[in-house]
Every structure is written in structure tokens, then in C-alpha cells.
Amino acid sequence: MRTRQSWGTLVGIIAIAVATAQPPPGPRPHVPPPGVPGAAAPPGYPIGQRLYRLPSGHEQVRHGGRTYVFYDGHFYASDGDEYVAIAPPMGAVVPRLPSEAERVGNLSQRVYRFRGVHYRQLSRGFQVIAAP
């Protein structure tokens, strides 16, 4: 009888602990804000990576009624007082590419790739496009 009562007490304590558990201190869990419909991130793209301060050299990019930050080949969206990496918004135009971007396709195409994201050169910058 005593064993059954001990097990019942233990189960009750565990249930209370689980019900009142708080997340550990530290970075708060986050679901990245969505990019523009049609956005897709290549493998290895740092979706969810956070910036707590904008680095020098970042660019602000307006697309689809929203303002994004473009830095080092990655797009970030504002999330309160932080910025979180999002999938590249399809159709967004950035003023310049990182120097490591490589030209892909035949010479008549002005398509570049950087870290798995493809861009088409326009007169006003470089537009995010689907892989050719």
C-alpha cells in the first residue's frame, strides 16, 4: 500500500512540475516572420539567426510593402528591437551583391549566385529570382 501511495505522490509532483515549468533563461524561442510568398531558402541559409544590432554596411531594401535589411548576402526582417534572418523574398532588389557572388549560366544572361540564392542583374540592382 505504501508503494502505491509513493508512486501516486511522485506522479502528482511530476504533473505539477510540468504544468508550472518555465522556459530556461536565455534567447527566447522564435518563429521567424514570413518573407514574401514564394520565398525559399537554400540549404544552409541561416533562417532564424538573430542580429541584435545592425552592422555597418547593411542595406535597407523595400519590397512588397515591407522594409528588409540585407547584409552579407542575407535578408533580415525586424522583430521588435532585433532582426531575424528570413528566406530571401522572391523579387526583392538589392543595390549590390557581395564580392564573392559568382556569375552563372551563359554569357548572355546576367545571373549571379551567392550562397545558393540567385540574382538577375537589372539596371537598378540585383533581383532575387528562382534558380534558372
Side-chain angles (χ1 to χ4, degrees):
M1 186 72 164
R2 185 164 173 80
T3 303
R4 190 179 292 167
Q5 185 178 20
S6 297
W7 280 107
T9 302
L10 180 60
V11 168
I13 290 172
I14 291 172
I16 290 171
V18 169
T20 60
Q22 296 293 317
R28 58 190 160 96
H30 177 74
V31 175
V36 173
Y45 197 85
I47 298 294
Q49 175 187 353
R50 294 184 161 281
L51 294 179
Y52 300 97
R53 212 178 29 212
L54 290 176
S56 63
H58 72 275
E59 305 275 355
Q60 290 200 351
V61 175
R62 296 234 357 118
H63 179 69
R66 294 189 64 185
T67 300
Y68 300 97
V69 170
F70 183 73
Y71 176 73
D72 193 30
H74 299 130
F75 284 88
Y76 295 85
S78 176
D79 183 27
D81 56 355
E82 302 170 355
Y83 294 84
V84 62
I86 62 166
M90 202 62 61
V93 177
V94 297
R96 66 186 60 79
L97 294 177
S99 60
E100 298 87 15
E102 60 184 349
R103 191 173 191 158
V104 296
N106 63 42
L107 293 177
S108 66
Q109 295 178 321
R110 294 178 304 186
V111 175
Y112 297 83
R113 179 178 56 220
F114 182 72
R115 296 186 180 160
V117 179
H118 289 81
Y119 300 87
R120 176 180 46 227
Q121 187 174 4
L122 305 174
S123 60
R124 65 185 198 277
F126 298 86
Q127 184 179 39
V128 176
I129 61 170

